[in-house]
Amino acid sequence: MEKTSHDLAQMRQSYERAALDEEHVQANPLGQFHLWFDEAVQAKVIEPNAMTLATAGADGRPSTRVLLLKGADERGLVWFTNYASRKGRDLAANPFAAIQFFWGSLERVVRVEGRVEKVAESESDEYYRSRPLGSRIGAWASPQSEVIPSREVLESAWADQQVRLGDDPPRPNHWGGYRLVPDRWEFWQGRTSRLHDRLIFESSPSGQWVLRRLAP
């Protein structure tokens, strides 16, 4: 099939669910994020903590992938992964990233940018122990982002690690958490006629958040 059978140029939707204005947004972007996240959960958005993470390596080539948010507080946004994966290699070379949440049924997007750091080993240990056993073994078995010859090789590696590690595997040194420390947040609410609401919070030199509106 050389092209889709759908008329992409005519695929569009009018956004009419809500509005976002400066008078009603939270004073702190983390508070606004928690407010919108809670509403996404209440609306039964599928995996509301799913987020797209964008990184770029030393060569400047961007890469995105979907991950699950596992922590959000005044220190930043946290996820866990293999440090030797492509995103891990990117972040080792260029410790800045962007995150995007898309809650389509609510016609909302949240974008976050900032510097990325590894979380404390104790935090990685605690989260690793909370994962299902199969996922803990998977962290040992999968050489994430590396080429493998087949699915069978991966499943065989998992089975071998299951026998070797038993029911209480330790966290592998190559696996743990990252935290994005935000210096910019954007909250996007779809509106009619593509006149969407876009409010950004940017960190000032004094550490205060400055709120501005962007043109859609």
Side-chain angles (χ1 to χ4, degrees):
M1 181 181 293
E2 295 184 357
K3 65 178 183 178
T4 178
S5 59
H6 302 286
D7 186 352
L8 297 178
Q10 297 303 315
M11 294 181 71
R12 60 178 56 86
Q13 179 174 328
S14 178
Y15 300 129
E16 302 175 356
R17 287 184 57 97
L20 179 65
D21 60 58
E22 291 84 345
E23 292 183 2
H24 296 97
V25 73
Q26 298 287 307
N28 183 291
L30 181 65
Q32 183 65 32
F33 175 76
H34 283 310
L35 176 65
W36 272 19
F37 186 86
D38 289 346
E39 291 179 359
V41 172
Q42 293 167 8
K44 301 188 184 304
V45 170
I46 297 175
E47 292 206 283
N49 61 327
M51 62 186 193
T52 299
L53 171 70
T55 59
D59 60 359
R61 188 181 182 96
S63 177
T64 66
R65 71 287 291 163
V66 176
L67 303 173
L68 296 178
L69 178 71
K70 292 299 179 180
D73 58 25
E74 67 282 352
R75 297 172 297 169
L77 307 182
V78 174
W79 67 92
F80 295 86
T81 190
N82 188 316
Y83 290 143
S85 64
R86 180 175 178 180
K87 54 188 168 296
R89 297 194 299 269
D90 281 357
L91 290 169
N94 177 24
F96 292 89
I99 287 173
Q100 177 171 289
F101 297 86
F102 174 58
W103 299 317
S105 61
L106 297 178
E107 302 171 356
R108 288 174 175 171
V109 173
V110 178
R111 301 173 60 210
V112 195
E113 300 175 21
R115 186 176 182 89
V116 179
E117 60 190 23
K118 288 183 178 179
V119 306
E121 290 191 5
S122 58
E123 192 171 346
S124 292
D125 288 338
E126 181 180 3
Y127 176 70
Y128 181 81
R129 287 192 297 269
S130 75
R131 304 180 85 207
L133 176 59
S135 298
R136 281 180 280 160
I137 294 173
W140 284 93
S142 175
Q144 192 175 110
S145 300
E146 298 298 323
V147 175
I148 57 175
S150 66
R151 171 80 187 188
E152 288 72 24
V153 168
L154 183 63
E155 293 178 346
S156 177
W158 188 94
D160 290 345
Q161 293 291 354
Q162 182 185 37
V163 171
R164 185 179 75 86
L165 296 169
D167 294 334
D168 189 24
R171 178 180 64 86
N173 291 331
H174 63 260
W175 190 97
Y178 287 103
R179 175 180 289 107
L180 184 146
V181 181
D183 55 31
R184 178 185 171 108
W185 294 75
E186 177 179 335
F187 296 88
W188 182 100
Q189 177 69 61
R191 299 293 302 274
T192 58
S193 302
R194 294 298 186 262
L195 298 179
H196 311 304
D197 288 326
R198 297 178 63 189
L199 298 184
I200 62 165
F201 289 87
E202 292 183 303
S203 179
S204 68
S206 66
Q208 300 299 309
W209 290 105
V210 178
L211 175 64
R212 296 185 176 96
R213 176 175 288 267
L214 298 181

